[in-house]
Every structure is written in structure tokens, then in C-alpha cells.
Amino acid sequence: MVAPAEAAELWRLTLQHSPIGQALVGVDGRLLVVNRALCEMLGRSEDELLRLGFQEITYPDDLDADLAMFGQALAGEVDSYRLHKRYVHTDGRVVWGDLSVAVVRAVDGAPRFFISQLLDVTEQRANEERLEAATAEVERERQTLEAIFDTVNVGLLLIGPDGRYERMNKRHAETMHLPFPAGHGGAAGQLGEVYLLDGRTPMPREAMPSYRAAQGEEFDDYTYWVGGDPATRAAYSTSARQVRGPHGERLGAVLAYQEITDLIRAIEVKDEFVASVSHELRTPLTSMLGYLELLCESDELTAGAAAQLRVVQRNALRLQALLSDLLLIGHVADGTLELRIGATDVATLVREAVETMSESARRADVALSTDVPDHLPIRADGQRLRQVVDNLLSNAVKYSRSGDEASVRAWREGEAIVIEVADTGIGIASDEIDHIFGRFFRGGEAIEQQITGTGLGLSIVGSIVAAHDGTVTAASEQGRGTTFRVTLPAR
Ligand code: ADP
């Protein structure tokens, strides 16, 4: 047992050293006793506080609520209450307090004073406000995304890490019946009425965009047809991106489906038009070339007329070459490119191509060199391979400056034959190199320097090499030169 005097002292010390603000408040609201924590919380000395009532330290807007509770306690309606309210610090700051008040009553029930405990929750309150603001921001963003998700003209699909369909937008849901007329089970890779760009070959499971995305692949502009009926089917271009969590873990994939039927149909119409015009022009041109040849051989011509006829002949031959390029492109587009595979020799073919190009190279002041073994037998379409080398070599000369060098090398590498055409010419800009094999693509510098061309040469090279199951790559440094490498299976 502690003596009463000692107990009183201990209580006083407890009050003084409590980390929570404490006060005894009179029935008129005046502060009768305050501890150190309360003084620090409000930035006032003990003497100052003892001259004030709680009304004067309360934030004005919160006073009514406190007075109402205080009144109820005075009237004997409640014995205690709790309130979150604001106080004013002497430096002008608002201090948020968690206030608990208990009434101490006399024997007859009349209130004698109030015991108030005040916990400073300013920090906690600020955190809550920050959290609320952040939550509101996230919600706002979610709603914006939601609105975009359902308004865009692109089908959007979210696939979970297990390949299950988690969400799709309205647009995508509306188009699902075309590839999946019997319904979709909601998992990536389901086979449906989906065809490769030729419109005929059914797309295998591992090529399905959803399956590829579920396997972790990312891709852009993957094009194909959906729908079994050629009259109503639609072409799509699809891109996929992986979704990752903050630690790089895979959360799934997003796919965007853009319908491009009109575009593909327009390209088809253009291809058909180009093919039929080229075809129609070929017959009269062949006839003109035949008569031109006869005319050029005639000895009845004056020297001037003969020279002029040779110009006509040269241009007619150029026209013929252009037409045959266009026809070949047409065959590639509609999948009817046929190869006449036979035994041929890459070494001979390269030597002949270099020989044919030597006159143009000499005029352009580009040094040509060749490095090929005596023989490099291959089973391939010799005429088409010659076209590959001709196109690469003519580019090497065309895109070189006076004094530059161009070379052709060919060798056997295991089961493959490699042909490399290199030049020290103007090179290709890094943002163009991915496009050079595209149909009708012409580089910026080619256009600027007015170097003649149609943008078909490399497209033809790519198609012929692909038809031989080979590959062609380009490496270039602008201003320093370009190297094309063709790799063909020797068969
Ligand atoms: P074209 O030569 O008729 O323009 P190509 O399909 O042969 O068409 O080539 C496409 C483009 O690639 C050219 O316009 C040019 O910008 C670039 N290119 C091709 N070969 C070379 C080369 N050897 N050096 C620099 N640029 C080249």
C-alpha cells in the first residue's frame, strides 16, 4: 500500500508525463489542470492554458459539435463522450485530436468537472487524407480507362496468367461470333474460323494470337482473316503486350484487335489492278521489242535514226523489266509464284551478274569485285536467283558514290550457300532498315537524291529467297555502306 500523499504525487507525475494530452475541465469549460503533453500539442504554457476555456482553443468550425456534447453531459444525458475535433496551435496550425471526455459527478449527480484525454491524430489524419486522395485518383483513372475500354473502336481482351479470358470490351464481345460461331470456352488458343492471310490455310493453335500472347509473346500488326464465309469474313490486325506486376511477375496479356477488312480488300483490288495492267501491257510491248530489234539491225537507217532507235529500245527494255517485276510481285501477292527448280551454279550466276553490271559500275566509278569459288552447286530456280543477285548488285552500285566499292562473295557454309553483296555506299538510315523489304518502299535519301527506282527490288529479293526457304538480312551504317546476306539451303 502506498500512503495517500505518495499516491497523489504518483498520480500527479503520471498525469504530467503521460504522452497523451490530459486536462481537468470545469463545468464552465475552463481548464483547471493541464499536463505537459497538452501544452506541447497546442504550443502554449501551462499558465496560459489555465487562463483559457476549451472553447478558445477549439477550431471555430468544430466548436458547436463539442458544445452540444458538453451540454448533454452537463444535463446528465451522457456520462462520457468521444469526439474527433480540431484545435488551433499558437503557430496557426490545425491540430487534429481524438478527444475522450468523462464527467465526474457529485453524490447528488451534479457534474463537478470533466476529465479530458486528447490524442494528437494530426499525422494519422494527414495520412488518411493522402490515402483518400490517392484512392480517389485511382478511382478516377479506373473510370476513365473503363470509359476508354468500352468506347474505342478496337477489340480489347485481357488474358490471365493461366490463359483464361479475364475481360473483354464490348467491341471484342460483338465480334467473337465470326471466328467462333459455336461459342467460345474462354481460354486462349481455341481453334475457330480463323485463316492465314492467304484466306485459305486454317490457323493452327500455336499461331492463334491469343495462344501466342498467353505463351508470353508480344507482337504488332499480326494480320489474318476470321469467318468461314468469304463474302462476310473480316480481316484483323492484332497486337499483344504482356502485363507485369511491380516485381516483373507475369499477370497476363492484353490483346488489341483492329478490323482492317476494307484496307486488305483495297490492297487486293490494287494488286489485281496492277497485275492485270502489267499482263495486258506485256503482249504489245513484246511485239514492239521484236520489231525494234529488227529495225535496229537494218542497214538502211541513218546513223542519227539508229542512235534514236537504240534509245527507244533501251527504254522499252526498261519498261519490260518493270512489267516483269510487277507481274512477279502479283504472283507473290496471290500465292502463285512458281519456281523452276533445277541444278544450277551460284558461282557462275554471280560471275555473270557482275559481268553484266560492270559497265554501269564503271560509269558510276564504283569498283566491283568478286570472290567466289569455281563452283557452288545448288538446286534452285537459277533465273530467279540471278534476279536476286542482279537486284542486290544494282542497288550496291546505285546507292554508292563515285570512288566507292561494291563486292559479291559467295561460299558454302555447312548445308547452306551464302551470298553476300556489300558496298561502301550511302547506307540506310536505322529507322528505315526494317522497311526496305516492303513493297514500293523507297528510302528518304533515294528520293532526295533522285536515284531512280520503284521500291520493288528488295521486295522481289525477299520473296524469291523466302520461296527457296532461305533468309536475307541487311546490315547498314549510314554513310558507311550496306551488306546484304542471302542464305539458301543447298538442298
Ligand atoms: P529501289 O532501289 O527501287 O528504291 P529497292 O526495293 O531495291 O527499291 O530498295 C528499297 C530501298 O532500300 C531503296 O529505296 C534504298 O533506300 C534502300 N536500299 C536498298 N539497297 C541499298 C543499298 N545497297 N544501299 C543503300 N540503300 C539501299
Side-chain angles (χ1 to χ4, degrees):
M1 277 289 278
V2 204
E6 199 182 340
E9 174 60 8
L10 281 175
W11 272 116
R12 197 190 63 77
L13 285 171
T14 308
L15 182 73
Q16 273 311 313
H17 293 284
S18 164
I20 294 171
Q22 310 219 29
L24 288 188
V25 180
V27 289
D28 55 356
R30 292 186 70 77
L31 302 170
L32 307 174
V33 177
V34 293
N35 74 345
R36 198 183 302 157
L38 188 68
C39 295
E40 279 168 11
M41 224 153 120
L42 301 174
R44 293 181 189 269
S45 70
E46 186 176 350
D47 286 349
E48 248 178 294
L49 278 180
L50 292 182
R51 282 196 293 276
L52 298 171
F54 76 83
Q55 300 89 334
E56 287 139 297
I57 52 174
T58 295
Y59 186 75
D61 287 358
D62 293 355
L63 189 55
D64 285 349
D66 200 358
L67 284 174
M69 296 305 297
F70 192 70
Q72 282 183 29
L74 278 179
E77 291 165 23
V78 295
D79 285 331
S80 66
Y81 61 90
R82 192 167 171 190
L83 202 64
H84 268 215
K85 58 175 277 202
R86 285 166 288 183
Y87 292 84
V88 186
H89 192 281
T90 45
D91 65 8
R93 257 188 313 125
V94 168
V95 178
W96 269 98
D98 178 355
L99 173 69
S100 300
V101 179
V103 195
V104 177
R105 298 186 190 282
V107 189
D108 63 356
R112 287 183 60 203
F113 50 82
F114 296 80
I115 300 172
S116 298
Q117 294 202 325
L118 188 64
L119 185 66
D120 186 344
V121 291
T122 312
E123 187 78 2
Q124 186 187 335
R125 197 69 198 200
N127 284 341
E128 278 167 13
E129 275 168 12
R130 273 197 289 274
L131 191 63
E132 262 167 44
T135 311
E137 177 64 21
V138 168
E139 177 61 11
R140 206 178 55 76
E141 244 169 54
R142 197 188 64 78
Q143 298 215 351
T144 312
L145 285 178
E146 199 73 15
I148 296 172
F149 192 66
D150 266 333
T151 12
V152 284
N153 207 11
V154 173
L156 294 172
L157 169 68
L158 177 65
I159 300 179
D162 55 354
R164 305 234 28 114
Y165 284 16
E166 283 187 354
R167 278 196 73 183
M168 66 178 75
N169 69 349
K170 261 205 304 253
R171 174 80 186 175
H172 192 61
E174 283 162 7
T175 56
M176 288 280 281
H177 69 279
L178 204 54
F180 306 106
H184 193 276
Q190 179 177 327
L191 289 177
E193 303 274 8
V194 185
Y195 302 89
L196 302 186
L197 218 45
D198 65 8
R200 291 182 291 269
T201 318
M203 186 179 275
R205 183 172 140 87
E206 60 280 4
M208 292 291 277
S210 60
Y211 182 83
R212 288 178 59 191
Q215 295 300 306
E217 256 189 81
E218 296 196 335
F219 47 84
D220 280 308
D221 303 326
Y222 182 42
T223 44
Y224 51 90
W225 286 101
V226 301
D229 179 1
T232 58
R233 66 187 184 183
Y236 276 89
S237 166
T238 299
S239 302
R241 288 288 175 281
Q242 297 300 316
V243 184
R244 299 196 182 277
H247 306 295
E249 69 278 17
R250 252 193 90 231
L251 300 180
V254 173
L255 286 114
Y257 298 80
Q258 169 98 50
E259 205 208 308
I260 52 161
T261 314
D262 289 347
L263 177 69
I264 295 277
R265 295 236 189 264
I267 293 173
E268 279 176 356
V269 168
K270 186 197 72 185
D271 287 349
E272 279 163 22
F273 176 75
V274 169
S276 82
V277 168
S278 320
H279 193 78
E280 292 305 319
L281 287 177
R282 201 165 59 156
T283 318
L285 190 63
T286 311
S287 156
M288 279 164 65
L289 275 165
Y291 283 106
L292 270 171
E293 201 167 333
L294 288 177
L295 263 176
C296 286
E297 280 166 11
S298 158
D299 346 303
E300 293 163 26
L301 293 173
T302 61
Q308 283 164 2
L309 266 181
R310 267 192 295 280
V311 175
V312 175
Q313 191 185 34
R314 210 169 49 237
N315 283 296
L317 282 169
R318 270 184 64 188
L319 212 54
Q320 192 187 38
L322 176 61
L323 282 183
S324 82
D325 277 0
L326 286 173
L327 279 169
L328 192 142
I329 288 284
H331 287 311
V332 171
D334 62 17
T336 54
L337 176 66
E338 277 175 18
L339 296 181
R340 287 201 212 121
I341 302 286
T344 183
D345 181 11
V346 171
T348 311
L349 188 145
V350 165
R351 275 190 290 267
E352 283 173 5
V354 171
E355 171 66 30
T356 309
M357 192 56 62
S358 60
E359 179 52 26
S360 315
R362 198 189 50 74
R363 266 187 274 125
D365 188 26
V366 174
L368 269 190
S369 64
T370 324
D371 181 4
V372 285
D374 287 346
H375 295 289
L376 265 181
I378 189 172
R379 284 191 62 76
D381 184 330
Q383 209 182 333
R384 297 284 183 225
L385 273 199
R386 172 69 194 271
Q387 221 173 336
V388 167
V389 179
D390 280 345
N391 285 0
L392 292 178
L393 198 54
S394 104
N395 278 352
V397 173
K398 230 168 42 166
Y399 298 109
S400 284
R401 300 146 296 198
S402 170
D404 274 327
E405 290 163 20
S407 66
V408 193
R409 300 196 299 136
W411 66 93
R412 197 186 168 94
E413 205 169 275
E415 290 301 299
I417 301 259
V418 183
I419 308 169
E420 200 177 83
V421 181
D423 63 67
T424 59
I426 62 173
I428 301 168
S430 54
D431 60 340
E432 288 184 344
I433 196 134
D434 288 341
H435 307 288
I436 54 173
F437 291 100
R439 263 192 289 173
F440 299 108
F441 177 84
R442 301 221 62 217
E445 206 160 335
I447 296 169
E448 214 168 278
Q449 295 192 22
Q450 298 184 336
I451 301 172
T452 55
T454 55
L456 289 176
L458 288 182
S459 164
I460 288 172
V461 167
S463 301
I464 295 175
V465 171
H468 282 87
D469 298 325
T471 55
V472 53
T473 56
S476 184
E477 206 178 323
Q478 213 170 4
R480 305 290 292 273
T482 306
T483 302
F484 285 91
R485 179 182 277 225
V486 175
T487 308
L488 300 162
R491 290 179 218 260

